[in-house]
């Protein structure tokens, strides 16, 4: 393991700040709250499917594998269209693109509620997922421009924690629709309408700070000195040579955490005998614990990073992944008699999972240049979506054949142990890639000062 050493000294931050075209400095915590709300609703169509699948399955006569296919195809659409939305955001204002793909695109979520058969639902659901795929990379790129390296873990924790809390509170409300005839349709109608509402709010109130605005070395540099923001094939090749980013992408592919999100309610119905309405309350403790995990995890990781700038975040990521595998074994492979006990154990699992965004997002931000972060997150989240798609499809078919408990053993517990082993390679790549980015930012700052003088 590499020895600890402090990173190169960073010049004192300058007073000027790059703002958006309105000339107003964004209030970063207020902007974060808006982005959190948007993140909460931009995957609400997936929440409808995951929470109401037992009712939807009965209404349309679907097998368990259909849940895996729906989620999987939706995520594969994200693999393709996530980078597309990032490319569009290179030509048009980021907030406008974000408002369209994660907000106004909600009309397709509303359309999913009108599906008359499985094929129609699959097509409409996939189109809906293709739009919201742009949310992840664009929101994370904005986050990196609002917060500096010292506070990004905490900011990412708040972002994903508040988003998860909103999703969790909606879970029981969606679960109540399982007792209403065609209630799953109303779930899509409500989810899509809220998406459209948040799209309008983003257009009205979001302020883009500008690419690289949070970097102290570049805060006084003219936009032309901050680097060319156009995404070219040469820059894509540059990203593909980033070893840390490639390892994180591989780690997101080999990831079984999302299986619990997609199949948790159905697991309690099929394997433990609870009703759909009862099991839907799982989203409340799960999301509350996830919120606690994101906030505490982000704060702790920022402190660990200050103490061990070369390896602290990598150590934290590896610990959470292995801990998740261990806890998931006890949660899914043992029969607990009461629903309350399931809620407690799933809550522990959620808290561990919640710490992840506050670790891996700053890892990506600190090893990529500001103008490449949107593309880097598009690449990472596309890999994540591909892994999510593959594991959910496999769980669906394996669950039909052997049961969800067996599927969880192999595609959650064992897969996460493999994931933890892969993270070991980051101990070598992360310090080098982070130092290279810092050196380039210092060079740009020096060039900007020389030019201005």
């Amino acid at each position: 393991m590499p020895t600890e050493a402090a990173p190169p000294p960073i010049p004192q931050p300058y007073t000027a700040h790059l703002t958006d075209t309105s000339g107003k400095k964004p209030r970063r915590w207020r902007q974060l709250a808006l982005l959190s709300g948007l993140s909460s609703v931009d995957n609400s169509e997936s929440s409808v499917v995951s929470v109401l699948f037992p009712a939807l399955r009965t209404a349309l006569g679907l097998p368990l594998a259909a849940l895996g296919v729906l989620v999987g195809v939706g995520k594969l659409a994200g693999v393709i269209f996530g980078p597309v939305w990032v490319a569009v955001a290179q030509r048009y204002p980021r907030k406008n693109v974000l408002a369209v793909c994660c907000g106004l695109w909600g009309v397709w979520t509303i359309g999913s509620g009108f599906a008359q058969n499985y094929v129609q639902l699959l097509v409409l659901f996939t189109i809906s997922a293709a739009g919201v795929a742009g949310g992840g990379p664009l929101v994370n790129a904005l986050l990196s421009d609002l917060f500096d390296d010292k506070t990004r873990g905490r900011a990412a924790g708040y972002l994903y924690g508040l988003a998860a809390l909103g999703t969790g509170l909606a879970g029981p409300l969606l679960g109540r629709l399982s007792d209403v005839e065609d209630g799953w349709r109303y779930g899509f109608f409500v989810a899509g309408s809220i998406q459209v509402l948040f799209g309008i709010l983003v257009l009205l109130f979001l302020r883009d700070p500008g690419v690289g605005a949070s970097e102290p070395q570049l805060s006084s540099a003219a936009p032309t000195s901050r680097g060319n923001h156009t995404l070219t094939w040469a820059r894509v090749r540059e990203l593909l040579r980033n070893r840390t980013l490639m390892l994180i992408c591989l780690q997101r592919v080999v990831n079984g955490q999302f299986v619990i999100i997609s199949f948790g309610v159905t697991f309690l119905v099929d394997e433990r005998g609870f009703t759909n309405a009862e099991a839907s309350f799982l989203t409340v403790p799960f999301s509350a614990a996830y919120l606690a995990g994101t906030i505490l995890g982000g704060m702790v990781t920022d402190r660990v990073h200050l103490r061990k700038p070369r390896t602290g975040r990598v150590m934290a990521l590896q610990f959470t992944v292995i801990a998740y595998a261990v806890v998931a074994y006890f949660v899914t492979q043992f029969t607990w008699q009461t629903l309350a006990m399931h809620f407690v154990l799933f809550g522990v699992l959620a808290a561990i999972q919640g710490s992840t965004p506050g670790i891996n997002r700053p890892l990506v931000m600190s090893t990529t240049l500001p103008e490449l972060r949107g593309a880097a997150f598009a690449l990472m989240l596309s890999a994540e979506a591909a892994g999510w798609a593959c594991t959910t499809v496999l769980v669906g078919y394996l669950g039909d054949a052997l049961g969800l408990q067996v599927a969880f053993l192999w595609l959650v517990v064992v897969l996460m142990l493999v994931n933890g082993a892969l993270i070991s390679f980051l101990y070598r790549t992360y310090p080098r890639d982070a130092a290279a980015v810092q050196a380039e930012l210092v060079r740009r700052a020096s060039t900007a000062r020389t030019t201005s003088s």
Side-chain angles (χ1 to χ4, degrees):
M1 184 181 300
T3 57
E4 296 297 329
I10 298 175
Q12 292 297 315
Y14 303 101
T15 58
H17 189 77
L18 181 65
T19 59
D20 68 351
T21 55
S22 69
K24 298 178 181 179
K25 292 184 180 182
R27 298 181 180 180
R28 59 182 188 171
W29 292 106
R30 183 178 298 178
Q31 303 302 305
L32 181 70
L34 181 57
L35 292 175
S36 297
L38 182 68
S39 299
S40 177
V41 302
D42 73 353
N43 282 314
S44 55
E45 80 288 346
S46 294
S47 298
V48 174
V49 169
S50 299
V51 172
L52 288 175
F53 182 75
L56 193 155
R57 174 175 57 184
T58 301
L60 298 182
L62 305 179
L64 176 62
L67 174 57
V69 172
L70 279 169
V71 175
V73 171
K75 295 305 173 183
L76 286 176
V79 173
I80 300 171
F81 288 96
V84 170
W85 287 113
V86 170
V88 173
Q90 301 285 329
R91 300 178 60 86
Y92 302 98
R94 286 190 292 186
K95 82 167 188 177
N96 294 352
V97 176
L98 192 61
V100 171
C101 68
C102 288
L104 305 183
W105 203 268
V107 297
W108 290 104
T109 301
I110 296 173
S112 299
F114 291 103
Q116 298 301 308
N117 54 53
Y118 177 57
V119 174
Q120 291 180 12
L121 177 62
L122 183 61
V123 171
L124 291 167
F125 184 79
T126 302
I127 295 174
S128 176
V132 301
L138 294 179
V139 167
N140 280 284
L142 284 164
L143 180 74
S144 69
D145 294 327
L146 286 167
F147 297 89
D148 60 23
D149 190 56
K150 294 180 180 179
T151 57
R152 283 172 183 159
R154 183 160 54 104
Y158 282 122
L159 172 72
Y160 285 92
L162 293 173
L165 182 62
T167 302
L169 294 176
L173 299 177
L174 290 173
R176 290 295 143 189
L177 294 176
S178 64
D179 296 327
V180 178
E181 183 178 0
D182 285 336
W184 62 273
R185 297 186 187 276
Y186 299 113
F188 281 117
F189 296 157
V190 172
S193 299
I194 296 176
Q195 285 176 317
V196 173
L197 173 62
F198 266 89
I200 296 172
L201 293 176
V202 166
L203 285 174
L204 294 176
F205 300 111
L206 183 66
R207 297 289 180 264
D208 188 336
V211 175
S214 66
E215 302 298 341
Q217 303 96 325
L218 305 180
S219 58
S220 66
T224 54
S225 300
R226 293 170 182 264
N228 184 354
H229 302 164
T230 303
L231 185 62
T232 63
W233 284 112
R235 291 189 177 279
V236 171
R237 289 194 296 271
E238 182 180 345
L239 282 177
L240 295 177
R241 290 194 296 269
N242 186 318
R243 296 162 298 177
T244 297
L245 179 61
M246 290 300 99
L247 281 170
I248 291 176
C249 286
L250 178 60
Q251 185 256 338
R252 300 312 288 168
V253 171
V254 188
N255 193 342
Q257 290 179 330
F258 307 115
V259 171
I260 300 294
I261 297 174
S262 300
F263 286 88
V265 172
T266 304
F267 172 80
L268 292 178
V269 173
D270 288 2
E271 297 288 337
R272 300 298 182 252
F274 300 102
T275 68
N276 194 170
E278 290 173 334
S280 67
F281 277 93
L282 173 66
T283 62
V284 175
F286 193 94
S287 297
Y290 188 94
L291 171 63
T294 55
I295 295 175
L296 293 176
M299 294 174 63
V300 171
T301 302
D302 279 344
R303 290 181 177 274
V304 171
H305 174 63
L306 289 175
R307 289 175 175 265
K308 296 180 179 293
R310 291 173 57 87
T311 61
R313 284 173 176 158
V314 180
M315 293 169 59
L317 183 62
Q318 189 170 48
F319 172 80
T320 58
V321 167
I322 295 175
Y324 188 94
V326 174
V327 175
Y329 177 77
F330 288 98
V331 172
T332 64
Q333 302 305 306
F334 291 83
T335 301
W336 308 97
Q337 298 301 320
T338 65
L339 189 59
M341 190 63 183
H342 283 92
F343 286 173
V344 170
L345 292 173
F346 272 100
V348 175
L349 201 61
I352 298 172
Q353 183 177 350
S355 63
T356 302
I359 305 172
N360 62 13
R361 268 59 173 179
L363 278 171
V364 173
M365 294 172 190
S366 61
T367 54
T368 53
L369 293 170
E371 66 271 16
L372 294 179
R373 285 171 186 157
F377 280 114
L379 189 61
M380 187 195 86
L381 294 175
S382 291
E384 180 178 287
W388 194 333
C390 292
T391 52
T392 51
V393 170
L394 288 173
V395 165
Y397 283 104
L398 189 60
D400 267 337
L402 301 175
L404 280 177
Q405 182 166 313
V406 175
F408 280 0
L409 175 63
W410 291 102
L411 294 173
V412 177
V413 178
V414 174
L415 193 62
M416 290 302 290
L417 290 174
V418 174
N419 193 311
L422 286 173
I423 294 174
S424 299
F425 292 102
L426 288 174
Y427 287 112
R428 292 179 59 85
T429 65
Y430 172 71
R432 297 175 183 176
D433 291 337
V437 168
Q438 288 297 311
E440 172 61 16
L441 294 178
V442 171
R443 185 196 67 78
R444 289 185 185 181
S446 177
T447 300
R449 288 196 298 271
T450 301
T451 303
S452 62
S453 61

